[in-house]
Structures are given as structure tokens and as C-alpha cells.
Amino acid sequence: MHAASFNKMNATSIQPPYLLFLGNVHDSIDAKTATGVCAWRPERCAGQLRLGSCGVDLDLPDLTIPQAAASGVRTLVIDLALPGGELSHDWINLIAEALSSGLDVASGLHSKISDIRTLREAARKSGSRIIEIRNVDRAFPVASYRKRTGKRLLTVGTDCSVGKMYTALALEREMKATGWLADFRATGQTGILIAGSGIPVDAVVSDFVAGAAETLSPDNEDLHWDVIEGQGSLFHPSYSGVSLSLLHGAQPDAIVLCHEAGRTVNSDFINLPLPELEECAELNLCMARMVNPDVLLTGISLNTSALSEPEAQECLRDVSNRLAVPAIDPFRTGVGEILAVLP
Amino acid sequence: MHAASFNKMNATSIQPPYLLFLGNVHDSIDAKTATGVCAWRPERCAGQLRLGSCGVDLDLPDLTIPQAAASGVRTLVIDLALPGGELSHDWINLIAEALSSGLDVASGLHSKISDIRTLREAARKSGSRIIEIRNVDRAFPVASYRKRTGKRLLTVGTDCSVGKMYTALALEREMKATGWLADFRATGQTGILIAGSGIPVDAVVSDFVAGAAETLSPDNEDLHWDVIEGQGSLFHPSYSGVSLSLLHGAQPDAIVLCHEAGRTVNSDFINLPLPELEECAELNLCMARMVNPDVLLTGISLNTSALSEPEAQECLRDVSNRLAVPAIDPFRTGVGEILAVLP
């Protein structure tokens, strides 16, 4: 299978129903992608495949590969923290069995499973696809700065892992429930498996990230919202460039700032204080105005899971007063207040 | 020749003396890399190779491949705007001859010349190296945010093509002439051919650009200056992420802001006004302070080539008064004033 074929694969969607491979992971942290897919898109998930010592149960039917193939499963999804960092022979055999049975395999593993000849050949023989979610072989254009039709909301953050994907998914769900036209646009591997398509922007060559963000969120109907999953933070020195490219390519009409209540220092660098919410909002708005002068801050999304209910309510009230926009915890309060203030 | 061998090649330096291939280009714009190398590093350039209708003369000896090989040339440098966008058979034959004669070939062409089997085999047989300057197959780490020893200056800009490379080279030259320890650190292909090494940061996968900038500018002696070539602009929506990653990885102690006097709109987008110098300086400082609170704006470098001498002097005085730092035109006034205010 040539590089060119993989290019096309990255561009196409990941077909449900999924069989979620859990291997023998011990806790749900190691299977957080499968957990996320199952939580946000239960309708895409037909079953789980667990091995002997697996300590995780997603409350899905346990299916073998033949059972999955017989019941119409289209894709085996593998996105786990690997024990020892390497694929074992047992796992390779299972993946080969899935490919030979006609299932696509969508892999979020660090190493390319298509580099393994057995798997490449199994795919070739059956016509199945190997989809490497972390890898981007597609070419994207340099960003055009062209204004697109339709509306765009981007979630941004004070740091990594503060709820940017969760908030975007909650917003899309609420918009659809309210009868709005909306699409979650995935920029990371868990989001891509949830949505069934997307672009892992941090794997794109730097010159083309803003162009990839434009590609991800094309012209649409005037009232349609693209809810774009943010990445990193303008204040995270390792990933700030990815965040800025995404902001400039997205040209958002609305920004929702995400933060974990109580976190005061960068998750990777304990000697780097996080910015105040006001400072973070202002810098994101300043940068976003370069590409869309009408951009608005439309909400603060706080992960208040470390707080008691009264503490959380007080925190949300305080933040909402300080920043003069709705402050919500998508898990605790829902996101309805944000929809009410969108342009 | 495997991908792995090319990785190593990208990491190693490009060996002088160079033979600069000019093919049959008509004007110096199409040969701007060769012109730049010849202007900044005449000591690296042993000759030029011109074909029949070539309209450019770098005032170097015209050498054939055998003459170049006999006189000790180490590398044939090819970085031209290609007529028709494709390598002609004549050129391929010449490149093969160079490789077979033991010369390395450093190519800045868009397409990989190592994809051409004849050339790959010629290199393999003679042990010569094909160095693809635009391509980065090396892996870089995620930025560590670790403070390095030594000092760093980064040139930043209001836009693309405003003199960031030129200014950095002029600063390095002046520092060395003054007896300082200094190294120009190249981040684009012309700079890499001039310096003989560097990293084309816009070709690095976005997650690793800040890490590449850290790699490019490692620990050094306390009084040593790395003069890092900036790329793009925080205000250029297509490339802003590259600029920010470079800023955050460089952790500069000093910033020099480059601009073309009189340019009011973005070079790629006529409907996008350029920022005021004050605004551009402040945003770069704000971003740089996240990784180095002591960063200083130490000068404005203006390309005043469109102005008369009195106009240029007035413009430089005005800008210097407004921003309270030296304002220079490296071509017209030199960069000495900036050295005088460096920390």
C-alpha cells in the first residue's frame, strides 16, 4: 500500500459502527479515547474487545472479531496507552484478523501500524483500510485568509487539558438539541474518533496549520455553527504556535475560554503560572480580531470537578461577574447560557 | 538510500566551497538564494555554473563540474525558481554528474531530487550526499521551556519579507567584527545555505516547532549571542503560528523588529493592514515575556530602500523617537547602534 493511498484514507471518514479495542488496559485513563467515544457517540459503538486481564468495562457487548464482522461492525478502533510502548504479537494477530475480516482499523497509536508488513498485506488482500489517526500525509494549502460563510465558535484555553474538546462537544449537542445547524470539528485524535473525521492539527507541518483549520471548517449555511475543538493554549510555550494557527485559520465569530478551576500553574511546567482569565481572554480576542474584527468572547467554561456544589456555584458567579459573560461548567450546569448570547 | 540516511544528512552541515548552480535563469530574483549566499559568504563560494541563456552573473569563476571537482568544490548548490516547475533532463544529468564526481548536492527545490532514481543511485555509488534543504525528516522534541545559557536575539517582523534574515546576518557580522562571540542561526532555506546549517522551521510538524527552535539554539557561553533568523509575523494569519513557536522556543533576551518603510498592507493580503510598529513590538514583547520576563526591544530595523537619503534619515529619527530604541537600516546605516544597547 503506497503513501498515496494513505493520504486519501486520512481524508475520508471513519465508518461506524465501531468495535472498541481495550486490550488488557488496567484503568480507564489508559483507555480515555474509547471512554470518550463511548460517552459522546454511543450510537457509533457496537461493542468492546477485551483481553484476559482488562480492568475496564464500557458496558458494551463483548464481541470477538468474527462476532463483530457478522454483526456489521465496520471499524476496529485502537487508541490505548501501550504496555511497554510496543504492539505485542497477540495484538498484531488480532488486528490482522480484523483487517482480514473486512473491518477497517483506525489506530491512534504513536507508531504507524501500516509499517507492519503483516497488517499492510492483510489490508491489501481484503480491501480494508488502515487509518492512522495521528498521522497527516495529506497536503493542506497555506491559509487564504478568505472569509467563509457560516458561523464559527472556537474553544480556547488557559492550558492543555482544561476541557476544550468536552466543551465543544457539549455546545454542539446543545445546539442540535435546540434545533440549530451545527457540527463539531475535531482537531485531535479523540475528537476525530468521536466525530468520525477531522484533522489532527498538531501533526500538520507548521506552514499549513492555519490552512488546515480553514479546510476543516469550510463555507457553510449562514446560520450554521462550526464548533471547533481548540488545542493547547497561547500561554503554553510548547504548543502556542498550534493554538495561534488554529485561531487564525478558524476566524472565529465566538470564543469560549476553558479553564480548570483552581489550577494555577501550567500542567507541564510547574514554574510557569497560568494567566488570569481576563488576560487569557484578552490575548485570544486580540489575536482573533486580526482575522475577524467582530469576534466575541461568549463564555467561560470551567471544570469545577474539584469543588463542592456551593463552591462551584460561587466560582461560576464570580467568574461571570468578572468577565461579564456566562460562566458554565458543561458537566454541572450545561452550556445553555452560552447559546443564549451567541451572535 | 533510505529515509534514515536523509535524516542524518539534514542534521549535518553543508560543506563549502560551493558551486552555485544558476541554470538558465533570467534575472536575479529567480536566483535570490545564490545571490544571498554570494553576498554574505563569498568565502564559501568557489564558482558559478551557468547554462546557455543564463542572464545572471555573480562575478564568480564559471566552472564546469569536472573543473569544480578538480579545484576542491565540495557542494553543488541548487535553489532556483524552476522554469515550468520541473527539473529538465539537462539539469538532472548535470546533477548526476556532480554526484558521480563526488560533490554533495544541496537542493532547495520544492520537489525532492532524491525521489529521482538516477540521482539516488549516483549518490549511492560515489558516497555523495543529497541534502534536501526544504525537508525535515529529523524528529525534534517538544519544547522543554528550559532556560539555556548564553544570550539570544530574535528578529521579528510586521510581515514576511521585511529584512529579518538580512538584519540577523548584519547583526552577526557586526558582533563578530566587534570581537563578540556570535552565531547566526538559520531558520529558512537561504539562511541555511548561507550559514551551512540550520532548521527550516516552517517545514517542521507544528507540535515540534518550538522544540526545533530550542534545538537550533542550544546552551552556550554566557556572553555568546545566538542571532536567530525570524520567520513570518505574529500579524500574518497564514504563518503566525510559526512565528509564535519560534518566539517561544527561542526565549529571546533581545528582539529587533523589522519592517519595510512605507509598506502599509500585508504582502499577501491587500485588505489586511499592517500593524503599527508600537503595536507589533508590544505584542511580540508580551508573548516573549511568557518565556523570558527580561526580554527587551533593542531596535527597529527598517528597509528604507524606497526612500531618498534625507527621507530615510527622517524616517529613522522619527521611529527611534517614537519607540525609544535605535532605528537603523542595516544596508544604509549599519547595525552598530543596536549592539550598543544590547543587554
Side-chain angles (χ1 to χ4, degrees):
Chain A
M1 196 165 287
H2 296 290
S5 332
F6 284 111
N7 296 355
K8 286 194 189 154
M9 288 180 182
N10 264 310
T12 55
S13 58
I14 305 162
Q15 298 299 322
Y18 296 163
L19 175 62
L20 300 173
F21 183 67
L22 295 174
N24 32 31
V25 297
H26 289 295
D27 61 54
S28 55
I29 297 288
D30 290 336
K32 64 179 184 177
T33 295
T35 310
V37 175
C38 193
W40 285 103
R41 293 293 186 272
E43 71 278 12
R44 295 181 83 90
C45 303
Q48 59 188 355
L49 200 170
R50 303 188 296 163
L51 302 181
S53 59
C54 182
V56 175
D57 186 352
L58 298 176
D59 212 13
L60 290 169
D62 284 293
L63 299 179
T64 62
I65 300 285
Q67 288 169 339
S71 68
V73 162
R74 299 282 299 276
T75 304
L76 176 69
V77 170
I78 306 185
D79 190 351
L80 301 168
L82 281 189
E86 288 214 2
L87 267 180
S88 66
H89 277 289
D90 287 356
W91 289 28
I92 292 174
N93 290 340
L94 265 174
I95 298 170
E97 186 188 354
L99 289 166
S100 300
S101 309
L103 271 62
D104 292 343
V105 174
S107 164
L109 301 175
H110 269 283
S111 56
K112 287 192 180 185
I113 64 169
S114 50
D115 284 345
I116 300 170
R117 191 170 46 165
T118 322
L119 301 182
R120 223 165 39 230
E121 287 180 358
R124 188 182 50 76
K125 278 188 195 155
S126 70
S128 302
R129 305 180 308 159
I130 297 175
I131 304 163
E132 313 269 9
I133 303 162
R134 282 178 186 265
N135 289 287
V136 178
D137 292 333
R138 282 180 71 182
F140 293 101
V142 165
S144 70
Y145 179 60
R146 186 179 66 78
K147 174 88 180 161
R148 281 115 57 211
T149 53
K151 301 180 180 200
R152 281 157 198 88
L153 182 150
L154 175 69
T155 54
V156 300
T158 53
D159 196 0
C160 297
S161 306
V162 289
K164 293 182 290 287
M165 182 188 79
Y166 193 102
T167 302
L169 283 162
L171 284 163
E172 183 214 32
R173 177 177 284 177
E174 184 73 14
M175 286 175 176
K176 288 188 163 166
T178 313
W180 296 15
L181 297 171
D183 282 296
F184 168 74
R185 299 299 187 185
T187 59
Q189 64 190 108
T190 300
I192 291 169
L193 282 166
I194 290 171
S197 65
I199 300 172
V201 290
D202 59 6
V204 173
V205 165
S206 62
D207 236 5
F208 307 104
V209 176
E214 291 184 349
T215 304
L216 181 68
S217 166
D219 283 320
N220 218 313
E221 296 182 47
D222 287 345
L223 292 177
H224 176 279
W225 280 94
D226 266 348
V227 186
I228 304 169
E229 175 193 7
Q231 291 292 334
S233 167
L234 293 179
F235 290 83
H236 193 302
S238 308
Y239 310 117
S240 53
V242 180
S243 307
L244 182 55
S245 297
L246 189 52
L247 185 66
H248 276 171
Q251 301 178 359
D253 303 284
I255 283 177
V256 171
L257 173 58
C258 305
H259 177 61
E260 182 185 329
R263 194 189 296 185
T264 57
V265 296
N266 183 285
S267 52
D268 288 317
F269 309 119
I270 200 165
N271 57 336
L272 181 62
L274 287 188
E276 294 294 328
L277 290 172
E278 289 85 345
E279 181 187 5
C280 188
E282 192 43 56
L283 184 62
N284 275 283
L285 286 171
C286 163
M287 288 297 193
R289 283 190 199 107
M290 293 182 199
V291 291
N292 185 349
D294 299 326
V295 61
L296 294 173
L297 178 73
T298 57
I300 311 291
S301 174
L302 294 175
N303 174 347
T304 62
S305 56
L307 306 183
S308 69
E309 180 67 24
E311 285 170 340
Q313 292 300 341
E314 191 187 329
C315 174
L316 292 170
R317 256 195 319 274
D318 170 55
V319 166
S320 178
N321 286 336
R322 273 167 49 201
L323 284 106
V325 292
I328 55 95
D329 177 331
F331 190 80
R332 209 185 273 269
T333 69
V335 298
E337 284 186 72
I338 293 178
L339 264 62
V341 300
L342 287 180
Chain B
M1 195 166 287
H2 298 291
S5 333
F6 284 111
N7 295 355
K8 285 192 188 154
M9 289 181 181
N10 264 311
T12 56
S13 58
I14 305 162
Q15 297 299 323
Y18 296 164
L19 175 63
L20 300 173
F21 184 66
L22 296 173
N24 33 30
V25 298
H26 289 296
D27 61 55
S28 55
I29 297 288
D30 291 336
K32 64 178 183 175
T33 294
T35 310
V37 175
C38 193
W40 285 102
R41 293 291 187 273
E43 71 277 13
R44 296 182 83 91
C45 304
Q48 60 188 355
L49 200 170
R50 304 188 296 163
L51 302 180
S53 59
C54 182
V56 175
D57 185 352
L58 298 176
D59 212 13
L60 290 169
D62 284 294
L63 298 179
T64 63
I65 301 285
Q67 287 168 338
S71 68
V73 162
R74 300 283 299 275
T75 304
L76 177 70
V77 170
I78 306 186
D79 189 351
L80 301 168
L82 282 189
E86 288 214 3
L87 268 181
S88 67
H89 277 290
D90 287 357
W91 289 27
I92 292 174
N93 290 340
L94 265 173
I95 297 169
E97 187 189 353
L99 289 166
S100 300
S101 308
L103 271 62
D104 291 343
V105 174
S107 163
L109 302 175
H110 269 283
S111 56
K112 287 192 181 185
I113 63 169
S114 50
D115 284 346
I116 300 170
R117 193 173 41 167
T118 322
L119 301 182
R120 223 164 40 229
E121 287 180 358
R124 189 181 49 76
K125 278 188 195 153
S126 70
S128 302
R129 304 180 309 159
I130 297 175
I131 304 164
E132 312 270 9
I133 303 162
R134 281 177 187 265
N135 289 286
V136 178
D137 292 333
R138 281 180 72 184
F140 293 102
V142 165
S144 71
Y145 178 60
R146 186 179 66 78
K147 175 87 178 159
R148 279 112 62 210
T149 53
K151 301 179 178 200
R152 281 157 197 87
L153 183 151
L154 176 69
T155 54
V156 301
T158 53
D159 195 0
C160 297
S161 307
V162 289
K164 293 182 289 289
M165 182 188 78
Y166 194 101
T167 302
L169 284 162
L171 283 163
E172 183 214 33
R173 178 177 282 179
E174 183 73 12
M175 286 176 176
K176 287 187 163 166
T178 313
W180 297 14
L181 297 171
D183 282 295
F184 168 74
R185 299 299 188 186
T187 60
Q189 63 190 108
T190 301
I192 290 169
L193 283 166
I194 291 172
S197 66
I199 300 171
V201 290
D202 59 6
V204 174
V205 165
S206 62
D207 235 4
F208 306 104
V209 177
E214 291 184 349
T215 304
L216 181 69
S217 166
D219 283 319
N220 217 314
E221 297 183 46
D222 287 347
L223 292 177
H224 176 280
W225 279 95
D226 266 348
V227 186
I228 304 169
E229 175 193 8
Q231 291 292 333
S233 167
L234 294 179
F235 291 82
H236 193 302
S238 309
Y239 310 117
S240 54
V242 180
S243 307
L244 182 55
S245 297
L246 190 51
L247 185 67
H248 276 172
Q251 301 179 359
D253 303 285
I255 282 176
V256 171
L257 172 58
C258 305
H259 178 61
E260 182 185 329
R263 194 189 296 184
T264 57
V265 296
N266 183 285
S267 52
D268 288 317
F269 309 119
I270 200 165
N271 58 338
L272 181 63
L274 287 188
E276 293 295 329
L277 291 172
E278 289 85 345
E279 182 187 5
C280 188
E282 192 42 56
L283 185 61
N284 275 282
L285 285 172
C286 163
M287 288 298 193
R289 282 191 199 108
M290 293 180 199
V291 290
N292 185 350
D294 299 325
V295 62
L296 294 173
L297 177 73
T298 57
I300 311 291
S301 175
L302 293 175
N303 174 347
T304 62
S305 57
L307 306 183
S308 69
E309 181 67 23
E311 286 170 339
Q313 292 301 341
E314 190 187 332
C315 173
L316 292 170
R317 256 195 319 274
D318 171 54
V319 166
S320 177
N321 286 336
R322 274 167 48 201
L323 284 106
V325 292
I328 55 95
D329 177 331
F331 190 80
R332 209 185 274 269
T333 69
V335 298
E337 284 187 70
I338 293 178
L339 266 62
V341 300
L342 287 180

